Amino acid sequence: MQLEQQETFVIHGPQLEVLGTAESKLPAPLKKRGTAAAVLAALALVSVFGIGGARLKGLHDKTAALYTAAQDKYGHSIQGDFAAQADAAANLIRVAGRTLGQGDASVQAAQAALDAWNAQGEADPAQQYALNRTLAGAVDLAYTAAADAAAAQEKGQLDDLYASFTSAQATVERAAAAYNEQAQAYNQTAGGFPAVVLAGLWGAQPLAYFAP
């Protein structure tokens, strides 16, 4: 009985180029034989689906940078408005403390929230959201209590500082909404197959939102 001759499959064009240069493009931690084999298998899929680990990592980094970079032609940024908001909070707490006394519960709560905000270090957007909401709520309470007890001059100072605080908050929320939209688009892209495999291998993890 004569055996049928098996057909030989040959990889051409972009697929061959991807596989032929893949190992040299891997991140250093992935240049191990076992891991590299898994990556090359994923890259074979990339040649079909058209998305690569380096591209995903670049998209991840570009999207993450929106959270710290300037958002408009005037150079406003989320982090810059956080700083303006914290300054306004500090000044408002000082005036509220002068009006109500440093031992007042609302003044102490606002100061504790501001201290926690200033001590956050390298918090991600989700952590910053929680700290920001705590600060906003505490400042609201301190402002309301102090404004009710303040004389006319101090009431004017408190109003101005609270307006600065809430203006910065509104700017932060608008900019953060734009960032969240981009982060969601990235997470959807990186969450499909084979992108989810490549994203994990290249350290392009899902992005946190400025949200609960």
Side-chain angles (χ1 to χ4, degrees):
M1 182 174 62
Q2 185 177 3
L3 295 176
E4 294 184 4
Q5 184 178 1
Q6 293 184 349
E7 183 178 357
T8 301
F9 293 91
V10 181
I11 299 175
H12 296 283
Q15 294 91 338
L16 182 60
E17 180 181 351
V18 168
L19 295 176
T21 61
E23 188 171 357
S24 65
K25 294 182 179 180
L26 292 175
L30 302 184
K31 290 183 178 178
K32 296 180 180 179
R33 188 173 299 274
T35 305
V39 174
L40 291 176
L43 286 173
L45 295 172
V46 172
S47 68
V48 177
F49 289 95
I51 189 165
R55 181 182 168 193
L56 273 174
K57 186 64 166 65
L59 180 60
H60 171 278
D61 293 348
K62 181 178 179 180
T63 306
L66 293 175
Y67 194 69
T68 55
Q71 298 284 331
D72 60 28
K73 63 182 179 180
Y74 302 108
H76 293 157
S77 69
I78 297 174
Q79 304 306 316
D81 287 303
F82 277 149
Q85 186 184 43
D87 286 344
N91 290 330
L92 188 150
I93 292 167
R94 187 183 68 252
V95 176
R98 192 167 63 221
T99 300
L100 299 171
Q102 294 299 327
D104 179 81
S106 65
V107 172
Q108 290 187 340
Q111 185 62 56
L114 180 60
D115 290 343
W117 173 263
N118 290 332
Q120 68 183 274
E122 298 296 326
D124 68 16
Q127 293 171 314
Q128 284 196 325
Y129 177 87
L131 291 168
N132 178 264
R133 297 313 304 164
T134 299
L135 177 61
V139 167
D140 281 345
L141 292 175
Y143 164 74
T144 300
D148 288 343
Q153 183 175 357
E154 284 188 341
K155 174 68 163 55
Q157 286 181 294
L158 287 165
D159 288 345
D160 289 344
L161 291 169
Y162 186 69
S164 296
F165 182 86
T166 55
S167 176
Q169 179 71 30
T171 304
V172 163
E173 290 178 353
R174 284 194 299 270
Y179 159 78
N180 284 345
E181 183 177 350
Q182 295 297 316
Q184 182 179 29
Y186 165 78
N187 288 342
Q188 289 175 343
T189 297
F193 184 81
V196 66
V197 177
L198 295 167
L201 291 170
W202 285 78
Q205 301 300 324
L207 291 169
Y209 302 116
F210 185 78

